[in-house]
Amino acid sequence: MKEYIFVNQAFTYAINLYLSSKETKENSDFSSFPVIIIRSLIEIYGELDIINPYRTNNEDRMGGFDSNLMKFGFPKEKLQRFKADVQNYFNAKEQQRFPNPYFITIEKYLIEMFCCRKKTMNTTEEETKKFQNLLYLKENQNQIMQQEISKHLNGSAILDQYWKSKLFEVEHNYELIPYKNNTLMPEAYYILGYTLDTISQMDKQTLKALNNQILTFFKIDPNDPQKMDRLKEAIIYYKQYGASLTSGNGYVDMLLLLSIIATTMMTLFVITVKVLGG
């Protein structure tokens, strides 16, 4: 008879081990890494969302394992990598690879899943604490889990730092914006009414053209190797004296400012069209 496989061999093993050990929680299996993975998922999504798809062999159909794990916004691409890395962890374990390179990766995915839930729905301090107790943090008092920490983390606080940083992002509505290499000082964009979120949506060529317009506004040659230092000085001057940055000709200054404003509005229009058009 063909062996029943759900998701992959690793997940099948982990779920079966969870089901066989959950009634006697004092045994070592209940605190083993495969079961901790399942217990962490259950803490995030609830036991029905994890065990029912296993029992009905529903991995990717409606109401199945995949859709349950994505219901709080966890990306599909990351979910596929998570499932693959659970199997990769088991393969590496069989090959006696220590530290196992997939141990930290799986833990980070679980942290991200919990943070997706925390962003989406009200999560109490008690629920956060219960999930935290399943993480391989230095303060964890579970002796079996401490053995895994010493085996795979070598005393490193990398998971402690990752957990604290992701929790901080969620609780303070803090989000990292991708950085572009050709970005000027943020103040330069603020002066012309741009936000970093707007800048992050621009393609490389559009941003380069805007940068040149901004440098022109501050009377800086875009090819000047010292342009960043000069821009910093110009912004300090601008903040102190405001619009008194001048060429000496009021009419020319007015035309220059109108040109910058027009370019700004046109660029925003192009961005809006791109975003709305997909």
Side-chain angles (χ1 to χ4, degrees):
M1 184 176 178
K2 186 177 179 181
E3 182 185 2
Y4 170 60
I5 300 296
F6 178 70
V7 180
N8 53 43
Q9 289 180 327
F11 262 103
T12 303
Y13 172 79
I15 292 175
N16 281 328
L17 190 60
Y18 165 77
L19 292 173
S20 64
S21 64
K22 72 171 186 173
E23 300 303 329
T24 53
K25 299 179 180 179
E26 295 77 16
N27 67 61
S28 59
D29 285 343
F30 194 67
S31 294
S32 64
F33 186 56
V35 174
I36 291 296
I37 293 173
I38 304 304
R39 289 173 60 190
S40 298
L41 291 174
I42 288 172
E43 199 61 50
I44 299 168
Y45 300 100
E47 187 173 69
L48 287 177
D49 279 357
I50 305 303
I51 303 303
N52 271 9
Y54 165 76
R55 287 177 171 154
T56 59
N57 192 22
N58 183 1
E59 179 182 354
D60 51 16
R61 302 189 304 277
M62 184 178 296
F65 186 76
D66 286 4
S67 60
N68 289 346
L69 266 62
M70 292 188 293
K71 69 180 182 180
F72 297 131
F74 191 68
K76 184 175 182 178
E77 297 78 12
K78 283 193 175 184
L79 173 59
Q80 298 306 320
R81 292 201 297 269
F82 167 69
K83 293 193 294 184
D85 282 343
V86 172
Q87 182 64 50
N88 290 334
Y89 167 83
F90 275 76
N91 295 341
K93 184 180 180 182
E94 289 182 355
Q95 298 164 9
Q96 297 294 307
R97 293 174 63 185
F98 299 104
N100 193 312
Y102 300 99
F103 180 86
I104 293 178
T105 303
I106 292 170
E107 282 288 280
K108 286 183 175 180
Y109 281 139
L110 292 170
I111 289 172
E112 290 175 19
M113 288 179 191
F114 179 80
C115 288
C116 284
R117 168 195 159 149
K118 199 170 176 65
K119 284 181 183 177
T120 306
M121 62 182 294
N122 182 46
T123 305
T124 66
E125 289 187 17
E126 181 182 359
E127 290 170 328
T128 300
K129 185 66 176 177
K130 286 177 68 177
F131 175 77
Q132 179 176 303
N133 289 338
L134 295 173
L135 296 174
Y136 289 80
L137 308 178
K138 281 189 172 183
E139 65 182 44
N140 195 315
Q141 299 300 309
N142 186 304
Q143 292 302 311
I144 297 173
M145 294 178 72
Q146 278 295 329
Q147 292 173 15
E148 297 283 2
I149 292 173
S150 61
K151 190 186 302 181
H152 298 297
L153 296 176
N154 297 323
S156 170
I158 185 169
L159 281 178
D160 295 66
Q161 295 166 356
Y162 193 76
W163 168 241
K164 290 177 182 177
S165 67
K166 299 303 288 186
L167 208 56
F168 179 87
E169 288 179 25
V170 175
E171 292 176 347
H172 294 80
N173 196 27
Y174 180 80
E175 183 178 0
L176 293 175
I177 296 174
Y179 174 78
K180 287 185 167 61
N181 290 331
N182 59 337
T183 303
L184 301 177
M185 296 173 58
E187 291 86 347
Y189 300 109
Y190 296 155
I191 288 172
L192 293 179
Y194 285 88
T195 65
L196 292 182
D197 183 55
T198 302
I199 298 303
S200 70
Q201 297 178 51
M202 293 184 181
D203 59 52
K204 187 175 181 180
Q205 293 303 316
T206 303
L207 182 57
K208 181 180 179 181
L210 177 62
N211 288 346
N212 288 338
Q213 289 288 334
I214 290 175
L215 291 171
T216 300
F217 175 73
F218 286 105
K219 300 179 176 58
I220 299 170
D221 183 352
N223 298 316
D224 187 341
Q226 303 297 321
K227 62 185 177 184
M228 297 305 290
D229 291 335
R230 299 189 191 285
L231 179 60
K232 183 177 181 180
E233 294 173 358
I235 289 173
I236 293 173
Y237 183 92
Y238 189 92
K239 285 181 176 180
Q240 184 174 358
Y241 298 104
S244 61
L245 186 69
T246 178
S247 65
N249 185 319
Y251 180 71
V252 171
D253 287 341
M254 182 180 69
L255 291 178
L256 178 60
L257 184 57
L258 288 175
S259 173
I260 295 294
I261 293 173
T263 303
T264 300
M265 296 301 295
M266 181 59 69
T267 305
L268 285 173
F269 174 75
V270 170
I271 294 169
T272 302
V273 169
K274 285 184 177 180
V275 172
L276 292 177

